Amino acid sequence: TARALVGTNIDNFEDLVPTLRQLGHDHRKFGVKPEHYDAVGASLLATLELFAGDAWTSKVAASWTAAYRLAAQTMIDAAEAISDGAPAWWEADVVSHERRAWDIAVFNVKPRRRFSFVPGQHVTIETMEWPKQWRKYSIANSPRPDGTLEFHVRQIDSGQVSWALVDAIRVGSVIKLAP
């Protein structure tokens, strides 16, 4: 997880910066605001103290506090740097949906706002059936003049989002796309 990554690599902070910036960008789609980082930090530090027992000294506490603050501020700064008009997610209307097999569907969506991408890029998708469950999917087409995006999805065992994309969505459904 990100916490373990920060905790084990804080001495190489510059190596962490790209990952932390991406996390800051990604957290926007969950509605994370700068003030939320304080609550998460307090909870994390309290948990570490509880499980560290006697190993939790004032020096360890100060190190973890400084590491968390640095990581959180990097994420906050990254989120704020792109919040100048770029949405945290794009709503997209399903314009076609075809079952190719019992567990495979090909569908096209049309984002309601301009969505720029490059071939080979993936996005995260949220469905109305499973709010806050974002999963990564590759876009199957190059940019098109009409702005539509095509996805080929195979339903996987216990995959709520893949189930929704294969079985539940229909033409007219709305999904969310995010970086």
Side-chain angles (χ1 to χ4, degrees):
T1 68
R3 289 179 303 270
L5 183 67
V6 170
T8 58
N9 292 291
I10 197 62
D11 292 333
N12 302 316
F13 188 74
E14 288 308 312
D15 293 342
L16 289 175
V17 169
T19 300
L20 293 171
R21 285 185 180 147
Q22 186 62 51
L23 286 169
H25 294 159
D26 290 349
H27 280 70
R28 293 176 63 229
K29 68 186 171 203
F30 296 109
V32 174
K33 300 193 179 330
E35 56 270 19
H36 295 148
Y37 286 89
D38 289 339
V40 170
S43 177
L44 171 66
L45 295 170
T47 302
L48 289 171
E49 180 178 9
L50 176 69
F51 287 98
D54 293 338
W56 191 258
T57 64
S58 59
K59 184 177 179 180
V60 170
S63 293
W64 270 101
T65 300
Y68 178 80
R69 285 184 182 152
L70 185 59
Q73 193 59 55
T74 301
M75 293 170 66
I76 291 167
D77 292 346
E80 289 176 350
I82 64 165
S83 65
D84 57 351
W89 67 81
W90 288 254
E91 288 187 334
D93 298 298
V94 177
V95 296
S96 71
H97 188 277
E98 179 185 342
R99 293 290 286 264
R100 298 281 174 93
W102 72 269
D103 62 341
I104 296 174
V106 174
F107 62 94
N108 285 272
V109 300
K110 176 135 180 79
R112 294 178 177 175
R113 292 179 63 178
R114 180 166 157 61
F115 184 86
S116 298
F117 70 96
V118 295
Q121 182 176 335
H122 74 269
V123 296
T124 55
I125 295 178
E126 177 193 54
T127 67
M128 299 305 134
E129 292 79 9
W130 291 98
K132 305 288 187 210
Q133 297 292 316
W134 293 87
R135 296 295 180 263
K136 293 179 183 179
Y137 292 94
S138 294
I139 302 168
N141 62 285
S142 296
R144 297 173 173 160
D146 68 358
T148 58
L149 309 173
E150 182 171 292
F151 296 93
H152 299 210
V153 176
R154 178 184 299 272
Q155 185 176 336
I156 60 168
D157 292 340
S158 72
Q160 294 108 340
V161 175
S162 68
W163 164 82
L165 295 173
V166 171
D167 280 339
I169 67 168
R170 302 285 180 257
V171 171
S173 297
V174 178
I175 66 170
K176 290 181 182 177
L177 307 171

